[in-house]
């Protein structure tokens, strides 16, 4: 019932910026937390940034001061502004929504996007 579509990834030189977007489709009552994860080759998937419905944010230490997460509840979208990019940011970035309440059920779900590639050249 819910699908996530990411956009905004690409190739950028070190020091540049990218803005990732994620749109959630489907009839959704509430999304508690929206976030971005990334996975580099040979490494585990890690949390990059997350934002709650109340606006509280959490960032990985490696991106603090450089990345900013935001959300638009009316549009059911989440964004990740990525500034001062470095080669270590190269990874596949995945959109995640957690605590998703659907109509006519008290059960909450989590969903993942397909991922978008971000490559930062030195």
């Amino acid at each position: 019932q819910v699908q996530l579509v990411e956009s905004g990834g690409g190739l950028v030189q070190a020091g540049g910026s990218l803005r990732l977007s994620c749109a959630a489709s489907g009839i959704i009552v509430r999304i508690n937390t929206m976030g971005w994860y990334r996975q580099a080759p040979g490494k585990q998937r890690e949390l990059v940034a997350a934002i709650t419905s109340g606006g509280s944010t959490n960032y990985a230490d490696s991106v603090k001061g450089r990345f900013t997460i935001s959300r638009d509840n009316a549009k059911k979208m989440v964004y990740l502004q990525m500034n001062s990019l470095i080669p270590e940011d190269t990874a596949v970035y995945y959109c995640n929504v957690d605590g998703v309440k659907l109509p006519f059920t008290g059960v909450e779900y989590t969903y993942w996007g397909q991922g978008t590639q971000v490559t930062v050249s030195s």
Side-chain angles (χ1 to χ4, degrees), residues 34 36 47-52 55-61 63-64 69:
M34 309 182 79
W36 291 92
L47 174 68
V48 177
I51 182 169
T52 69
S56 297
T57 58
N58 185 37
Y59 296 93
D61 289 340
V63 307
K64 285 183 177 178
I69 189 170

Side-chain angles (χ1 to χ4, degrees), residues 4 6 11-12 19 21 27 37 40-44 53-54 60 63 65 78 83 95-96 102 108 110 113 116 121-122:
L4 304 179
E6 302 110 325
L11 175 64
V12 66
R19 185 173 185 255
S21 299
I27 306 301
Y37 291 72
K43 296 185 178 181
Q44 291 186 315
S53 60
V63 307
V78 61
N83 298 327
C95 179
N96 171 263
L102 305 180
E108 296 184 347
T110 185
T116 184
S121 62
S122 60

Side-chain angles (χ1 to χ4, degrees), residues 28-45:
I28 300 171
V29 176
R30 181 190 67 243
I31 301 174
N32 284 340
T33 305
M34 309 182 79
W36 291 92
Y37 291 72
R38 69 185 181 187
Q39 186 167 23
K43 296 185 178 181
Q44 291 186 315
R45 186 175 300 186

